[in-house]
Amino acid sequence: SVPKRNPSGEDAAFLSWFLVDASQPFASPAFFHPSGIGRNLALLENGASVAAVSSNFGGGGNDSAFGAANALDGDPATEWSSESDGDQAWIDVELPSVTNVTSVGFWTRTMGDSTQVNSFRVTTDRDETYGPFSVDDATTIYRFDTQFTAKRLRFELLDTTGGNTGALEIEVYGDAIP
C-alpha cells in the first residue's frame, strides 16, 4: 500500500513509479505460454502476414488498434476484433513458406461474457478444411494437433457469441518445406 495524502482538498492525481529490470520480462509469467513445440510460424516477426480479413473493428487497417496483425504479434495484451462479424469473421494467415502444419493454436478475445469464439475451423489454400476446433474459454490459447500442408490458412469462426469476435493470438507450428 502506498500512502496518499491531499491536504489541499482539491482534485489530485496520483503518479506511480515502477522500477523494472530490462533483462527480465515486464509481464508476469502467467502471460507467457511457452509451447515447447517449436517456432510459431504465424508470428509477424517470423515472416507471417495477414493476407486478408473479414473486417477490423473501427474500420481500421490490419495495423490499427484492433487490426488483424495483433493476432500475429505474440502479445496477448493486443487483439484482433472484427466489426460485428460474429460467426462470419475470418482471418487469412500467410505463412513464410509452404509448411507441413502439425499444430494450430487459437486464443479467443472476449468482452467478459460476450464476443467469445466457441469454435473455428481452418481452410488451407488447397481447399482442405480441418476442424471444427472447440475453444472452451478465453483464459488461454488452445492448441490442436493437425497434419496438413499449406502456405495460407483461413481461420473461420464458426460458433461465437456474436458481435465483435476475434483473437488475442493465432499460432501455427510445423516444418517448412524447402
Side-chain angles (χ1 to χ4, degrees):
S1 168
V2 178
K4 298 176 272 297
R5 210 168 51 118
N6 183 9
S8 71
E10 295 185 23
D11 288 343
F14 180 73
L15 176 64
S16 296
W17 289 82
F18 296 92
L19 298 175
V20 296
D21 181 345
S23 68
Q24 298 296 315
F26 181 70
S28 159
F31 286 97
F32 298 98
H33 299 275
S35 65
I37 56 176
R39 193 169 75 127
N40 177 5
L41 300 174
L43 282 176
L44 298 171
E45 68 183 43
N46 289 338
S49 63
V50 177
V53 64
S54 59
S55 68
N56 293 307
F57 180 77
N62 291 334
D63 293 324
S64 64
F66 290 97
N70 291 328
L72 307 181
D73 67 359
D75 182 358
T78 64
E79 59 191 65
W80 160 58
S81 175
S82 71
E83 178 81 44
S84 298
D85 290 345
D87 294 353
Q88 305 305 310
W90 53 268
I91 180 174
D92 284 358
V93 177
E94 183 88 14
L95 300 175
S97 63
V98 176
T99 301
N100 285 324
V101 178
T102 57
S103 174
V104 297
F106 192 92
W107 192 343
T108 181
R109 79 176 293 269
T110 187
M111 293 178 64
D113 60 354
S114 65
T115 71
Q116 183 172 308
V117 175
N118 298 314
S119 69
F120 70 96
R121 71 178 168 213
V122 176
T123 301
T124 72
D125 51 359
R126 299 173 182 206
D127 289 325
E128 299 168 328
T129 301
Y130 299 90
F133 302 106
S134 295
V135 177
D136 294 336
D137 55 43
T139 61
T140 190
I141 192 155
Y142 286 87
R143 293 186 185 92
F144 306 91
D145 292 337
T146 60
Q147 193 57 57
F148 58 83
T149 302
K151 180 163 176 37
R152 182 180 285 191
L153 306 174
R154 176 169 286 193
F155 287 77
E156 301 171 277
L157 311 187
L158 298 176
D159 178 33
T160 71
T161 55
N164 303 331
T165 56
L168 296 180
E169 288 302 311
I170 291 174
E171 297 178 346
V172 177
Y173 295 93
D175 299 307
I177 297 175

mmCIF file of all heavy atoms in Angstrom, residues 104 118-124 128-135 144-148 153-159:
data_model
loop_
_atom_site.group_PDB
_atom_site.id
_atom_site.type_symbol
_atom_site.label_atom_id
_atom_site.label_comp_id
_atom_site.label_asym_id
_atom_site.label_seq_id
_atom_site.Cartn_x
_atom_site.Cartn_y
_atom_site.Cartn_z
ATOM 1 N N VAL A 104 -2.089 -26.077 -34.676
ATOM 2 C CA VAL A 104 -2.569 -24.697 -34.732
ATOM 3 C C VAL A 104 -3.062 -24.315 -33.342
ATOM 4 O O VAL A 104 -3.492 -25.163 -32.563
ATOM 5 C CB VAL A 104 -3.705 -24.487 -35.774
ATOM 6 C CG1 VAL A 104 -3.203 -24.770 -37.176
ATOM 7 C CG2 VAL A 104 -4.929 -25.327 -35.452
ATOM 8 N N ASN A 118 -16.386 -19.842 -29.746
ATOM 9 C CA ASN A 118 -16.550 -21.176 -29.172
ATOM 10 C C ASN A 118 -15.938 -22.258 -30.054
ATOM 11 O O ASN A 118 -15.517 -23.296 -29.558
ATOM 12 C CB ASN A 118 -18.027 -21.478 -28.934
ATOM 13 C CG ASN A 118 -18.639 -20.508 -27.946
ATOM 14 O OD1 ASN A 118 -18.069 -20.228 -26.903
ATOM 15 N ND2 ASN A 118 -19.796 -19.957 -28.292
ATOM 16 N N SER A 119 -15.925 -22.021 -31.379
ATOM 17 C CA SER A 119 -15.289 -22.974 -32.282
ATOM 18 C C SER A 119 -14.884 -22.275 -33.578
ATOM 19 O O SER A 119 -15.435 -21.245 -33.950
ATOM 20 C CB SER A 119 -16.201 -24.165 -32.576
ATOM 21 O OG SER A 119 -17.297 -23.782 -33.359
ATOM 22 N N PHE A 120 -13.890 -22.876 -34.231
ATOM 23 C CA PHE A 120 -13.389 -22.364 -35.507
ATOM 24 C C PHE A 120 -12.931 -23.543 -36.348
ATOM 25 O O PHE A 120 -12.803 -24.666 -35.866
ATOM 26 C CB PHE A 120 -12.239 -21.375 -35.284
ATOM 27 C CG PHE A 120 -10.963 -22.010 -34.780
ATOM 28 C CD1 PHE A 120 -9.942 -22.356 -35.654
ATOM 29 C CD2 PHE A 120 -10.783 -22.277 -33.425
ATOM 30 C CE1 PHE A 120 -8.781 -22.955 -35.187
ATOM 31 C CE2 PHE A 120 -9.629 -22.868 -32.951
ATOM 32 C CZ PHE A 120 -8.620 -23.208 -33.838
ATOM 33 N N ARG A 121 -12.689 -23.275 -37.620
ATOM 34 C CA ARG A 121 -12.094 -24.277 -38.494
ATOM 35 C C ARG A 121 -10.986 -23.595 -39.290
ATOM 36 O O ARG A 121 -10.913 -22.371 -39.373
ATOM 37 C CB ARG A 121 -13.122 -24.921 -39.414
ATOM 38 C CG ARG A 121 -13.642 -24.016 -40.495
ATOM 39 C CD ARG A 121 -14.618 -24.743 -41.399
ATOM 40 N NE ARG A 121 -15.305 -23.771 -42.246
ATOM 41 C CZ ARG A 121 -16.532 -23.882 -42.652
ATOM 42 N NH1 ARG A 121 -17.264 -24.937 -42.313
ATOM 43 N NH2 ARG A 121 -17.072 -22.960 -43.417
ATOM 44 N N VAL A 122 -10.145 -24.422 -39.883
ATOM 45 C CA VAL A 122 -9.048 -23.924 -40.702
ATOM 46 C C VAL A 122 -9.221 -24.474 -42.107
ATOM 47 O O VAL A 122 -9.407 -25.680 -42.288
ATOM 48 C CB VAL A 122 -7.681 -24.364 -40.130
ATOM 49 C CG1 VAL A 122 -6.546 -23.930 -41.039
ATOM 50 C CG2 VAL A 122 -7.493 -23.819 -38.724
ATOM 51 N N THR A 123 -9.187 -23.588 -43.103
ATOM 52 C CA THR A 123 -9.233 -23.984 -44.505
ATOM 53 C C THR A 123 -7.910 -23.579 -45.140
ATOM 54 O O THR A 123 -7.451 -22.446 -44.965
ATOM 55 C CB THR A 123 -10.412 -23.319 -45.241
ATOM 56 O OG1 THR A 123 -11.626 -23.699 -44.582
ATOM 57 C CG2 THR A 123 -10.472 -23.754 -46.691
ATOM 58 N N THR A 124 -7.298 -24.501 -45.866
ATOM 59 C CA THR A 124 -5.995 -24.243 -46.468
ATOM 60 C C THR A 124 -6.147 -23.657 -47.872
ATOM 61 O O THR A 124 -7.229 -23.685 -48.460
ATOM 62 C CB THR A 124 -5.171 -25.536 -46.574
ATOM 63 O OG1 THR A 124 -5.729 -26.359 -47.609
ATOM 64 C CG2 THR A 124 -5.135 -26.285 -45.246
ATOM 65 N N GLU A 128 -8.606 -27.604 -48.392
ATOM 66 C CA GLU A 128 -8.820 -28.652 -47.404
ATOM 67 C C GLU A 128 -9.270 -27.975 -46.115
ATOM 68 O O GLU A 128 -8.729 -26.942 -45.731
ATOM 69 C CB GLU A 128 -7.524 -29.432 -47.164
ATOM 70 C CG GLU A 128 -7.002 -30.112 -48.412
ATOM 71 C CD GLU A 128 -5.582 -30.631 -48.247
ATOM 72 O OE1 GLU A 128 -4.791 -30.018 -47.499
ATOM 73 O OE2 GLU A 128 -5.275 -31.646 -48.888
ATOM 74 N N THR A 129 -10.271 -28.567 -45.460
ATOM 75 C CA THR A 129 -10.829 -27.977 -44.250
ATOM 76 C C THR A 129 -10.589 -28.897 -43.059
ATOM 77 O O THR A 129 -10.775 -30.116 -43.158
ATOM 78 C CB THR A 129 -12.335 -27.721 -44.426
ATOM 79 O OG1 THR A 129 -12.509 -26.852 -45.538
ATOM 80 C CG2 THR A 129 -12.931 -27.073 -43.200
ATOM 81 N N TYR A 130 -10.175 -28.292 -41.930
ATOM 82 C CA TYR A 130 -9.894 -29.038 -40.708
ATOM 83 C C TYR A 130 -10.651 -28.400 -39.553
ATOM 84 O O TYR A 130 -10.788 -27.197 -39.471
ATOM 85 C CB TYR A 130 -8.385 -29.056 -40.432
ATOM 86 C CG TYR A 130 -7.645 -29.727 -41.559
ATOM 87 C CD1 TYR A 130 -7.193 -28.985 -42.643
ATOM 88 C CD2 TYR A 130 -7.469 -31.101 -41.569
ATOM 89 C CE1 TYR A 130 -6.555 -29.605 -43.708
ATOM 90 C CE2 TYR A 130 -6.833 -31.726 -42.626
ATOM 91 C CZ TYR A 130 -6.380 -30.972 -43.700
ATOM 92 O OH TYR A 130 -5.759 -31.586 -44.754
ATOM 93 N N GLY A 131 -11.147 -29.243 -38.659
ATOM 94 C CA GLY A 131 -11.955 -28.766 -37.544
ATOM 95 C C GLY A 131 -13.353 -29.320 -37.690
ATOM 96 O O GLY A 131 -13.594 -30.195 -38.512
ATOM 97 N N PRO A 132 -14.300 -28.833 -36.942
ATOM 98 C CA PRO A 132 -14.180 -27.683 -36.061
ATOM 99 C C PRO A 132 -13.339 -27.990 -34.816
ATOM 100 O O PRO A 132 -13.304 -29.115 -34.340
ATOM 101 C CB PRO A 132 -15.621 -27.362 -35.671
ATOM 102 C CG PRO A 132 -16.341 -28.658 -35.800
ATOM 103 C CD PRO A 132 -15.643 -29.408 -36.898
ATOM 104 N N PHE A 133 -12.664 -26.939 -34.341
ATOM 105 C CA PHE A 133 -11.881 -26.988 -33.125
ATOM 106 C C PHE A 133 -12.624 -26.180 -32.067
ATOM 107 O O PHE A 133 -13.052 -25.062 -32.329
ATOM 108 C CB PHE A 133 -10.494 -26.387 -33.353
ATOM 109 C CG PHE A 133 -9.712 -27.082 -34.441
ATOM 110 C CD1 PHE A 133 -9.524 -26.480 -35.671
ATOM 111 C CD2 PHE A 133 -9.159 -28.341 -34.231
ATOM 112 C CE1 PHE A 133 -8.804 -27.100 -36.678
ATOM 113 C CE2 PHE A 133 -8.438 -28.981 -35.227
ATOM 114 C CZ PHE A 133 -8.257 -28.359 -36.459
ATOM 115 N N SER A 134 -12.786 -26.754 -30.885
ATOM 116 C CA SER A 134 -13.536 -26.092 -29.810
ATOM 117 C C SER A 134 -12.618 -25.294 -28.896
ATOM 118 O O SER A 134 -11.542 -25.767 -28.520
ATOM 119 C CB SER A 134 -14.288 -27.115 -28.962
ATOM 120 O OG SER A 134 -15.275 -27.741 -29.747
ATOM 121 N N VAL A 135 -13.064 -24.107 -28.539
ATOM 122 C CA VAL A 135 -12.363 -23.231 -27.612
ATOM 123 C C VAL A 135 -13.255 -23.103 -26.384
ATOM 124 O O VAL A 135 -14.369 -22.592 -26.477
ATOM 125 C CB VAL A 135 -12.110 -21.850 -28.256
ATOM 126 C CG1 VAL A 135 -11.447 -20.908 -27.282
ATOM 127 C CG2 VAL A 135 -11.283 -22.008 -29.531
ATOM 128 N N PHE A 144 -4.196 -27.428 -31.127
ATOM 129 C CA PHE A 144 -4.802 -28.623 -31.700
ATOM 130 C C PHE A 144 -3.813 -29.270 -32.664
ATOM 131 O O PHE A 144 -3.251 -28.592 -33.531
ATOM 132 C CB PHE A 144 -6.087 -28.253 -32.457
ATOM 133 C CG PHE A 144 -7.049 -27.467 -31.606
ATOM 134 C CD1 PHE A 144 -7.012 -26.077 -31.591
ATOM 135 C CD2 PHE A 144 -7.974 -28.120 -30.798
ATOM 136 C CE1 PHE A 144 -7.892 -25.340 -30.798
ATOM 137 C CE2 PHE A 144 -8.851 -27.391 -29.996
ATOM 138 C CZ PHE A 144 -8.803 -26.003 -29.997
ATOM 139 N N ASP A 145 -3.609 -30.577 -32.511
ATOM 140 C CA ASP A 145 -2.737 -31.317 -33.419
ATOM 141 C C ASP A 145 -3.393 -31.407 -34.788
ATOM 142 O O ASP A 145 -4.608 -31.633 -34.896
ATOM 143 C CB ASP A 145 -2.465 -32.721 -32.879
ATOM 144 C CG ASP A 145 -1.610 -32.699 -31.625
ATOM 145 O OD1 ASP A 145 -0.881 -31.708 -31.415
ATOM 146 O OD2 ASP A 145 -1.688 -33.673 -30.852
ATOM 147 N N THR A 146 -2.595 -31.235 -35.825
ATOM 148 C CA THR A 146 -3.078 -31.305 -37.200
ATOM 149 C C THR A 146 -2.037 -32.037 -38.037
ATOM 150 O O THR A 146 -0.925 -32.303 -37.566
ATOM 151 C CB THR A 146 -3.289 -29.892 -37.792
ATOM 152 O OG1 THR A 146 -2.040 -29.197 -37.764
ATOM 153 C CG2 THR A 146 -4.343 -29.123 -37.036
ATOM 154 N N GLN A 147 -2.376 -32.317 -39.256
ATOM 155 C CA GLN A 147 -1.417 -32.880 -40.202
ATOM 156 C C GLN A 147 -1.861 -32.515 -41.606
ATOM 157 O O GLN A 147 -2.683 -33.189 -42.203
ATOM 158 C CB GLN A 147 -1.308 -34.397 -40.036
ATOM 159 C CG GLN A 147 -0.120 -34.986 -40.772
ATOM 160 C CD GLN A 147 1.193 -34.365 -40.351
ATOM 161 O OE1 GLN A 147 1.555 -34.368 -39.179
ATOM 162 N NE2 GLN A 147 1.944 -33.819 -41.294
ATOM 163 N N PHE A 148 -1.319 -31.390 -42.125
ATOM 164 C CA PHE A 148 -1.614 -30.973 -43.495
ATOM 165 C C PHE A 148 -0.504 -30.056 -43.985
ATOM 166 O O PHE A 148 0.352 -29.632 -43.214
ATOM 167 C CB PHE A 148 -2.980 -30.295 -43.600
ATOM 168 C CG PHE A 148 -3.156 -29.076 -42.734
ATOM 169 C CD1 PHE A 148 -2.694 -27.827 -43.140
ATOM 170 C CD2 PHE A 148 -3.821 -29.167 -41.513
ATOM 171 C CE1 PHE A 148 -2.867 -26.708 -42.342
ATOM 172 C CE2 PHE A 148 -4.003 -28.044 -40.720
ATOM 173 C CZ PHE A 148 -3.519 -26.817 -41.133
ATOM 174 N N LEU A 153 -3.550 -20.073 -44.539
ATOM 175 C CA LEU A 153 -4.601 -20.700 -43.731
ATOM 176 C C LEU A 153 -5.682 -19.669 -43.434
ATOM 177 O O LEU A 153 -5.388 -18.556 -43.013
ATOM 178 C CB LEU A 153 -4.024 -21.184 -42.395
ATOM 179 C CG LEU A 153 -2.812 -22.108 -42.449
ATOM 180 C CD1 LEU A 153 -2.298 -22.369 -41.051
ATOM 181 C CD2 LEU A 153 -3.175 -23.400 -43.131
ATOM 182 N N ARG A 154 -6.928 -20.068 -43.629
ATOM 183 C CA ARG A 154 -8.057 -19.214 -43.236
ATOM 184 C C ARG A 154 -8.629 -19.770 -41.933
ATOM 185 O O ARG A 154 -9.103 -20.905 -41.886
ATOM 186 C CB ARG A 154 -9.143 -19.166 -44.298
ATOM 187 C CG ARG A 154 -10.350 -18.353 -43.810
ATOM 188 C CD ARG A 154 -11.326 -18.047 -44.904
ATOM 189 N NE ARG A 154 -10.739 -17.008 -45.736
ATOM 190 C CZ ARG A 154 -11.420 -16.328 -46.649
ATOM 191 N NH1 ARG A 154 -12.689 -16.591 -46.864
ATOM 192 N NH2 ARG A 154 -10.817 -15.406 -47.370
ATOM 193 N N PHE A 155 -8.575 -18.955 -40.883
ATOM 194 C CA PHE A 155 -9.198 -19.294 -39.607
ATOM 195 C C PHE A 155 -10.603 -18.701 -39.645
ATOM 196 O O PHE A 155 -10.772 -17.482 -39.619
ATOM 197 C CB PHE A 155 -8.392 -18.706 -38.447
ATOM 198 C CG PHE A 155 -7.092 -19.430 -38.204
ATOM 199 C CD1 PHE A 155 -5.995 -19.231 -39.026
ATOM 200 C CD2 PHE A 155 -6.979 -20.316 -37.146
ATOM 201 C CE1 PHE A 155 -4.797 -19.894 -38.797
ATOM 202 C CE2 PHE A 155 -5.785 -20.991 -36.905
ATOM 203 C CZ PHE A 155 -4.691 -20.780 -37.742
ATOM 204 N N GLU A 156 -11.614 -19.588 -39.757
ATOM 205 C CA GLU A 156 -13.013 -19.168 -39.855
ATOM 206 C C GLU A 156 -13.711 -19.413 -38.531
ATOM 207 O O GLU A 156 -13.697 -20.535 -38.018
ATOM 208 C CB GLU A 156 -13.725 -19.962 -40.953
ATOM 209 C CG GLU A 156 -13.097 -19.798 -42.319
ATOM 210 C CD GLU A 156 -13.695 -20.762 -43.322
ATOM 211 O OE1 GLU A 156 -13.245 -21.928 -43.346
ATOM 212 O OE2 GLU A 156 -14.622 -20.344 -44.053
ATOM 213 N N LEU A 157 -14.318 -18.380 -37.975
ATOM 214 C CA LEU A 157 -15.019 -18.515 -36.707
ATOM 215 C C LEU A 157 -16.400 -19.093 -36.987
ATOM 216 O O LEU A 157 -17.171 -18.516 -37.747
ATOM 217 C CB LEU A 157 -15.098 -17.163 -36.008
ATOM 218 C CG LEU A 157 -13.767 -16.402 -35.918
ATOM 219 C CD1 LEU A 157 -13.921 -15.160 -35.062
ATOM 220 C CD2 LEU A 157 -12.646 -17.287 -35.415
ATOM 221 N N LEU A 158 -16.705 -20.222 -36.394
ATOM 222 C CA LEU A 158 -17.948 -20.942 -36.695
ATOM 223 C C LEU A 158 -19.052 -20.652 -35.696
ATOM 224 O O LEU A 158 -20.182 -20.399 -36.061
ATOM 225 C CB LEU A 158 -17.686 -22.452 -36.725
ATOM 226 C CG LEU A 158 -16.722 -22.946 -37.780
ATOM 227 C CD1 LEU A 158 -16.503 -24.441 -37.614
ATOM 228 C CD2 LEU A 158 -17.230 -22.617 -39.168
ATOM 229 N N ASP A 159 -18.734 -20.787 -34.426
ATOM 230 C CA ASP A 159 -19.723 -20.596 -33.367
ATOM 231 C C ASP A 159 -19.166 -19.565 -32.395
ATOM 232 O O ASP A 159 -18.147 -19.807 -31.747
ATOM 233 C CB ASP A 159 -20.002 -21.917 -32.650
ATOM 234 C CG ASP A 159 -20.985 -21.759 -31.505
ATOM 235 O OD1 ASP A 159 -21.887 -20.904 -31.591
ATOM 236 O OD2 ASP A 159 -20.828 -22.497 -30.505
#
